[in-house]
């Protein structure tokens, strides 16, 4: 069993089995709540729905509830493994729905091997759900199941294996044709594969203008020709040709588009020579495509290439569309997902790839957002604008085509609501990881290189292409632990090592420490001892010398000791009025993302220091593609108390308004006022903050750290940080409770910070020249 398989089994089993749970959305804190939630109060909505079924959308969760349904007959690449074995996949699909679009899902695995039983079972579920997502049903039965369900049910029914792939493929085709200056009605399309996804792709392309006579279908039995008997059905009939051609080789000549949804290696490099100028190659077999991109590029440098893999450009990934199509369909009460809605999604996805990067997107991609062209025909699955483009387009198409029961009347307000969801979805780290991967292998040194968590994180960092690790530790200890933990990375091959007992840079590090700290009590002898025994000092010296681009430390020992060493060796960046460092922490919970400062460094900052650390925190938050909204917290609520700490926060708010007028900030205020616009408006309706604050600024270290650790424990939130602010170079001090996952997150942040610092330095040099 591979390490990935073992990790996946552990992931699914702990801390509780599975990936889903059900939570109540209403407080049940007293007898009255119970009386309203159940008997006798529940009778009122029941009778209201009986009189008007449309009210079910107002009084129940049905309008935001989708069933992911499978009979387990075609699960991923695993085949017919049965409904029970398909459950982990369906739970995973449910998680994607929730994370990307806020839609609740029940995964339903049914023992229904026949078309009739599946149709009868699923159609009977209509009173419970607002939509049905069919998943992993083998062809050609999947066509019949979907067709019959759409005829019998008055809610959206969508087979994602077919239409999700088709929508993204169609968007890629439209953009490739625009780039190649071709028209869809003129192009020749050759398909390798004639299953559910392939035929859905072809059908949608026909809806967009492709001509059936220009489409050639092949599968493992060769060309779909008139008179063929093997694996033919009515769904392939429109593409059958009266021809003597029998193989892919016979029909590939002059093809503008190759659509591969078949098997690895079927498209040979020599066949590409016969394709049209600037061809589009959609090699979507997974995990190994019909032709590898580098092989295709070597054979046809002018080709545009898409795969189903995340490690190549132009990934055809269904998560680009299905959450947002259902979001738009549910929000307008659509009775179906029709061709008009699918085409609206296609055009929205294609248009997004052609858009100029917005400020938010540019920040999310570290200012290096790809631009429209051969390597960017399809947006990234983690582009935060997807939901903002696709869901409204689908809802509008539903209204125009007459299937929307509740057409959206105020589209700008709807888009604003979707925009607020984007930054509550918990996907905030994804743009950071994308930016880190694009940062050209920055080096990161880990002071605690012998720690199991660091070793596991280093392997993930390498596998994800985030950074090149440098570990500080004894070679024999690291080698033994790598073997013990079953990790495959190897010293000197996958990562570099700084051996504190014997490193050729030892004398240079000692001399540098004496130079930097000689006036702070470090003698030559003391420096030699410290460089042998203190890994944080070694890491900081390596960073100062330029032997690495960023550093991570703090897994062992007191935070204050690590901070003292980082402050001494790395120091604060130039230009700060108050050079003391500060710390920002991020909590990612079910309700969204919240930042806290200063959580680890300054015990009792002055008003001026609070203002400056808030500016630094806002700068860091923008690295996530999020616009900061800073609330300066106090026990006083907009002037209700005049204690020294309240006056300090009031003064800090005034300073902040002066030095950062474009930052949405206000204070002093209570925590609940910061997080609730309704509560805030009751106290002070003229606040400079609109909506919920996402940066909570505290008057002192006690309040910040207590609030952070309490909220983390009570909400089971993921803590990212502490993120050290104001350092001259990226250096971060973690805490002993950090997990391997936390180390990976902080590595990505440090890499992006290093990249942006170096980019700014390059611009400064360029300007000077």
């Amino acid at each position: 069993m591979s390490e990935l398989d073992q990790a996946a089994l552990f992931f699914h089993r702990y801390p509780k089995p599975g990936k889903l749970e059900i939570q109540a959305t209403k407080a049940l804190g007293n007898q009255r709540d119970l009386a309203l939630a159940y008997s006798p109060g529940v009778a009122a909505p029941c009778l209201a729905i009986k009189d008007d079924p449309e009210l079910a959308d107002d009084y129940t969760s049905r309008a935001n509830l989708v069933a992911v349904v499978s009979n387990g007959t075609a699960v991923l690449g695993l085949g017919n493994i049965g409904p029970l074995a398909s459950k982990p996949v369906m739970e995973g699909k449910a998680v994607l729905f929730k994370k990307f679009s806020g839609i609740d899902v029940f995964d339903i695995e049914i023992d229904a091997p026949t078309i009739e039983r599946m149709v009868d079972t699923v159609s009977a579920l209509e009173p419970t759900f607002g939509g049905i997502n069919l998943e992993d049903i083998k062809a050609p039965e999947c066509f019949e199941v979907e067709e019959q369900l759409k005829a019998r049910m008055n809610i959206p029914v969508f087979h994602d294996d077919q239409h999700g792939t088709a929508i993204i493929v169609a968007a890629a085709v439209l953009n490739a044709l625009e780039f190649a200056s071709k028209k869809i009605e003129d192009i020749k399309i050759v398909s390798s594969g004639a299953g559910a996804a392939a035929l859905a792709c072809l059908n949608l392309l026909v809806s967009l203008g492709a001509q059936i006579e220009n489409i050639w279908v092949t599968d493992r039995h060769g060309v779909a020709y008139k008179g063929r008997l093997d694996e033919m059905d009515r769904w392939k009939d429109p593409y059958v040709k009266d021809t003597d051609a029998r193989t892919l080789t016979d029909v590939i000549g002059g093809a503008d588009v190759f659509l591969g949804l078949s098997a690895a290696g079927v498209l040979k490099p020599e066949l590409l020579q016969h394709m049209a100028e600037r061809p589009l190659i959609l090699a979507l077999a997974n995990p190994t495509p019909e032709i590898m991109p580098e092989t295709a590029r070597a054979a046809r440098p002018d080709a545009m290439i898409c795969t189903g893999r995340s490690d190549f450009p132009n990934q055809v990934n269904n998560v680009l569309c299905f959450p947002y199509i259902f979001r738009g369909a549910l929000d307008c009460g659509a009775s179906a997902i029709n061709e008009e809605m699918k085409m609206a999604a296609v055009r929205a996805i294609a248009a997004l790839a052609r858009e100029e990067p917005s400020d938010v997107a540019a920040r999310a991609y570290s200012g290096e957002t790809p631009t429209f062209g051969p390597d960017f025909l399809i947006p990234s699955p983690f582009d935060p604008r997807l939901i903002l483009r696709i869901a409204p387009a689908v809802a509008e198409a539903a209204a125009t085509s007459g299937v929307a029961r509740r057409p959206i009347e105020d589209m700008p307000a709807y888009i604003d609501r979707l925009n607020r969801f984007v930054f509550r979805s918990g996907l905030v780290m994804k743009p950071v990881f994308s930016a880190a991967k694009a940062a050209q292998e920055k080096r990161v040194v880990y002071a605690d290189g012998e720690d199991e968590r660091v070793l596991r994180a280093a392997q993930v960092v390498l596998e994800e292409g985030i950074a090149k690790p440098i570990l500080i530790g004894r070679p024999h200890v690291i080698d033994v632990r790598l073997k013990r933990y079953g990790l495959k990375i190897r010293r000197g091959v996958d990562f570099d090592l700084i051996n504190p007992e014997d490193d050729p840079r030892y004398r240079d590090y000692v001399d540098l420490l004496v130079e930097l700290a000689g006036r702070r009590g470090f003698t030559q002898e003391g420096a030699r001892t410290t460089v042998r025994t203190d890994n944080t000092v070694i890491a900081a010296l390596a960073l100062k010398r330029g032997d690495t681009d960023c550093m991570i430390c703090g897994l062992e020992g007191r935070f204050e000791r690590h901070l003292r060493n980082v402050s001494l060796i790395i120091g604060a960046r130039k230009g700060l009025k108050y050079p003391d460092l500060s710390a920002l922490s991020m909590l990612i919970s079910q309700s969204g993302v919240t930042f806290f400062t200063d959580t680890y460094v300054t015990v009792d900052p002055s008003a001026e220091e609070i203002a400056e650390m808030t500016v630094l925190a806002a700068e860091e938050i923008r690295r996530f593609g999020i616009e900061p909204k800073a609330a300066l917290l106090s026990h006083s609520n907009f002037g209700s108390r005049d204690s020294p700490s309240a006056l300090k926060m009031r003064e800090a708010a005034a300073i902040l308004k002066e030095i950062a007028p474009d930052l949405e900030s206000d204070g002093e205020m209570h925590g609940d006022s910061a997080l609730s616009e309704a509560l805030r408006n009751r106290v002070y309706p003229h606040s400079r903050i609109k909506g919920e604050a996402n940066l909570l600024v505290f008057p002192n270290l006690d309040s910040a750290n207590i609030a952070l650790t309490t909220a983390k424990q009570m909400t089971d939130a993921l803590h990212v940080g502490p993120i050290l602010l104001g350092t001259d170079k990226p250096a971060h001090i973690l805490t002993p409770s950090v997990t391997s996952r936390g180390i990976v997150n902080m590595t990505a942040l440090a890499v992006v910070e290093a990249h942006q610092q170096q980019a700014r330095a390059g611009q400064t040099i360029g300007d000077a020249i």
Side-chain angles (χ1 to χ4, degrees):
M1 183 181 297
S2 71
E3 182 184 348
L4 180 62
D5 289 340
Q6 292 176 338
L9 291 175
F10 184 90
F11 176 85
H12 281 78
R13 189 170 186 177
Y14 299 102
K16 61 172 64 175
K19 299 188 282 280
L20 300 171
E21 66 179 6
I22 296 173
Q23 292 186 350
T25 60
K26 300 291 191 295
L28 300 174
N30 53 50
Q31 186 62 39
R32 178 171 173 77
D33 290 345
L34 294 173
L36 292 172
Y38 200 54
S39 180
V42 75
C46 289
L47 293 174
I49 294 168
K50 174 180 175 294
D51 294 337
D52 181 2
E54 294 292 319
L55 291 176
D57 292 349
D58 297 328
Y59 296 136
T60 76
S61 62
R62 182 175 185 262
N64 195 53
L65 186 62
V66 166
V68 171
V69 184
S70 181
N71 64 356
T73 53
V75 180
L76 299 178
L78 306 175
N80 188 354
I81 62 175
L84 183 59
S86 76
K87 188 171 179 63
V89 178
M90 303 311 127
E91 285 190 355
K93 191 78 174 220
V95 169
L96 295 179
F97 265 109
K98 187 65 174 179
K99 279 291 184 184
F100 283 89
S101 61
I103 293 172
D104 295 316
V105 167
F106 287 152
D107 63 293
I108 299 179
E109 298 76 29
I110 56 177
D111 184 8
T114 66
I115 293 172
E116 294 76 14
R117 185 167 180 180
M118 187 150 200
V119 170
D120 287 343
T121 303
V122 176
S123 61
L125 299 173
E126 183 168 349
T128 301
F129 295 100
I132 303 291
N133 183 93
L134 300 174
E135 195 78 17
D136 292 350
I137 305 166
K138 70 184 180 75
E141 288 88 337
C142 61
F143 301 118
E144 192 69 45
V145 168
E146 185 186 42
E147 186 176 84
Q148 291 189 29
L149 286 173
K150 290 173 75 172
R152 289 174 61 169
M153 303 182 78
N154 199 39
I155 58 175
V157 177
F158 186 82
H159 185 206
D160 185 45
D161 298 330
Q162 292 182 58
H163 308 301
T165 302
I167 287 165
I168 302 155
V169 163
V173 170
L174 290 185
N175 278 344
L177 296 183
E178 176 165 319
F179 187 79
S181 300
K182 299 178 182 180
K183 296 181 179 179
I184 193 168
E185 58 267 24
D186 299 332
I187 63 170
K188 178 180 179 180
I189 302 170
V190 175
S191 168
S192 173
L199 292 177
C201 290
L202 297 177
N203 292 342
L204 188 54
L205 290 172
V206 169
S207 296
L208 290 165
Q211 303 299 302
I212 287 181
E213 58 266 27
N214 294 335
I215 297 175
W216 294 77
V217 172
T218 70
D219 59 16
R220 59 179 177 168
H221 297 289
V223 174
Y225 62 89
K226 190 174 182 179
R228 192 182 112 176
L229 300 178
D230 293 326
E231 292 190 9
M232 296 300 294
D233 53 60
R234 68 184 179 95
W235 310 100
K236 296 176 188 172
D237 285 347
Y239 303 104
V240 169
K241 296 288 190 293
D242 188 359
T243 178
D244 293 330
R246 294 294 183 267
T247 67
L248 178 62
T249 303
D250 297 334
V251 298
I252 195 71
D256 298 280
V257 176
F258 169 81
L259 173 61
L261 283 153
S262 53
V266 284
L267 184 61
K268 305 303 180 187
E270 55 269 22
L271 296 184
L272 272 62
Q273 302 300 330
H274 304 290
M275 296 185 71
E277 182 183 359
R278 285 183 287 189
L280 172 63
I281 299 167
L282 294 146
L284 306 182
N286 258 329
T288 307
E290 286 79 3
I291 188 169
M292 292 299 291
E294 60 269 23
T295 305
R297 186 76 68 199
R300 285 296 297 266
D302 64 334
M304 293 168 279
I305 306 162
C306 301
T307 71
R309 291 171 47 150
S310 61
D311 52 344
F312 293 108
N314 293 323
Q315 183 193 13
V316 175
N317 186 334
N318 287 17
V319 81
L320 268 165
C321 69
F322 74 81
Y324 316 120
I325 289 172
F326 269 97
R327 182 72 279 158
L330 292 175
D331 290 341
C332 70
S335 59
I337 294 175
N338 56 26
E339 286 300 300
E340 292 86 348
M341 295 161 73
K342 287 187 283 184
M343 286 192 286
V346 170
R347 293 191 175 100
I349 294 169
L352 180 56
R354 297 193 297 267
E355 279 188 32
E356 288 295 321
S358 67
D359 290 343
V360 171
R363 288 198 299 268
Y365 287 93
S366 188
E368 299 183 1
T369 309
T371 55
F372 176 61
D375 289 331
F376 194 69
L377 301 172
I378 310 170
S380 162
F382 300 108
D383 192 314
R385 298 169 293 174
L386 282 166
I387 193 172
L388 307 178
R389 301 293 186 273
I390 300 173
V394 167
E396 284 187 344
T400 303
S401 61
V403 298
R405 293 184 292 109
R406 300 186 313 275
I408 294 171
E409 296 178 359
D410 188 342
M411 190 58 70
Y414 175 59
I415 293 173
D416 183 61
R417 192 167 83 240
L418 294 175
N419 194 48
R420 290 199 300 271
F421 166 77
V422 168
F423 297 113
R424 294 175 62 93
S425 64
L427 294 170
V428 67
M429 287 302 299
K430 290 298 182 182
V432 174
F433 276 87
S434 296
K437 291 178 183 180
Q440 301 177 342
E441 277 208 346
K442 290 289 180 287
R443 301 160 298 169
V444 55
V445 63
Y446 297 96
D448 304 287
E450 296 176 3
D451 191 287
E452 177 185 358
R453 293 165 293 176
V454 168
L455 296 174
R456 294 192 181 280
Q459 177 151 316
V460 174
V461 163
L462 280 165
E463 290 174 349
E464 294 291 324
I466 296 170
K468 183 172 179 58
I470 302 170
L471 306 185
I472 299 178
R474 295 162 293 179
H476 62 283
V477 173
I478 289 176
D479 290 344
V480 168
R481 292 183 178 178
L482 287 172
K483 186 175 181 180
R484 180 192 305 165
Y485 304 139
L487 300 175
K488 61 184 180 184
I489 56 174
R490 294 293 175 263
R491 170 170 54 89
V493 177
D494 302 303
F495 63 88
D496 293 330
L497 187 75
I498 297 177
N499 179 5
E501 295 179 340
D502 182 20
D503 191 275
R505 292 161 289 193
Y506 171 70
R507 292 184 181 278
D508 294 330
Y509 284 176
V510 169
D511 291 343
L512 179 57
L513 181 58
V514 172
E515 178 185 339
L516 294 170
R519 293 181 180 273
R520 299 288 296 274
F522 272 93
T523 63
Q524 192 79 22
E525 185 61 34
R528 283 196 290 268
T529 302
T530 300
V531 174
R532 289 278 189 217
T533 58
D534 194 319
N535 287 7
T536 296
V537 169
I538 298 172
L541 291 168
L543 180 58
K544 188 73 174 179
R545 267 174 44 100
D547 297 337
T548 184
D549 300 299
C550 44
M551 66 171 281
I552 304 289
C553 66
L555 275 71
E556 296 179 4
R558 295 168 63 88
F559 187 94
E560 293 85 355
R561 177 175 64 83
H562 298 292
L563 179 64
R564 184 173 63 251
N565 289 330
V566 169
S567 299
L568 179 66
I569 297 169
I570 303 300
R573 78 186 195 196
K574 294 178 178 62
L576 295 182
K577 187 174 181 181
Y578 301 95
D580 288 341
L581 305 179
S582 57
L584 177 72
S585 290
M586 177 171 66
L587 285 189
I588 305 174
S589 68
Q590 291 294 330
S591 60
V593 178
T594 309
F595 295 87
F596 298 66
T597 195
D598 173 9
T599 47
Y600 280 91
V601 179
T602 311
V603 175
D604 189 15
S606 67
E608 293 81 5
E609 288 172 321
I610 288 171
E612 186 167 81
M613 72 172 62
T614 303
V615 171
L616 292 174
E619 177 185 301
E620 186 70 32
I621 291 169
R622 291 190 178 101
R623 220 185 292 279
F624 295 90
I626 297 174
E627 193 58 37
K629 298 183 179 186
L632 278 65
L633 302 186
S634 172
H635 67 280
S636 172
N637 206 18
F638 293 104
S640 63
R641 302 283 293 273
D642 288 329
S643 66
S645 68
L647 293 173
K648 178 174 73 172
M649 298 307 283
R650 198 176 304 164
E651 183 184 355
I655 296 170
L656 198 56
K657 183 178 178 180
E658 181 179 341
I659 66 173
D662 295 332
L663 174 62
E664 200 169 323
S665 63
D666 210 341
E668 80 286 9
M669 70 179 77
H670 286 174
D672 54 1
S673 294
L675 299 175
S676 170
E677 186 173 29
L679 290 176
R680 186 166 62 250
N681 286 340
R682 290 180 196 172
V683 181
Y684 185 66
H686 306 295
S687 174
R688 297 179 68 233
I689 298 177
K690 304 302 178 186
E692 297 179 13
N694 53 24
L695 170 58
L696 305 182
V697 183
F698 292 83
N700 55 45
L701 185 57
D702 279 346
S703 57
N705 191 269
I706 291 169
L708 170 72
T709 53
T710 303
K712 175 187 173 185
Q713 188 64 28
M714 292 180 66
T715 61
D716 195 27
L718 171 66
H719 176 214
V720 179
I723 304 165
L724 205 57
L725 303 176
T727 54
D728 188 51
K729 293 185 177 183
H732 295 291
I733 306 167
L734 307 186
T735 60
S737 62
V738 71
T739 63
S740 178
R741 178 185 179 191
I743 296 170
V744 174
N745 285 337
M746 286 304 301
T747 299
L749 271 174
V751 165
V752 173
E753 185 180 351
H755 177 69
Q756 292 180 346
Q757 280 191 3
Q758 291 173 10
R760 283 196 298 269
Q763 289 172 357
T764 302
I765 293 170
D767 293 341
I769 293 172

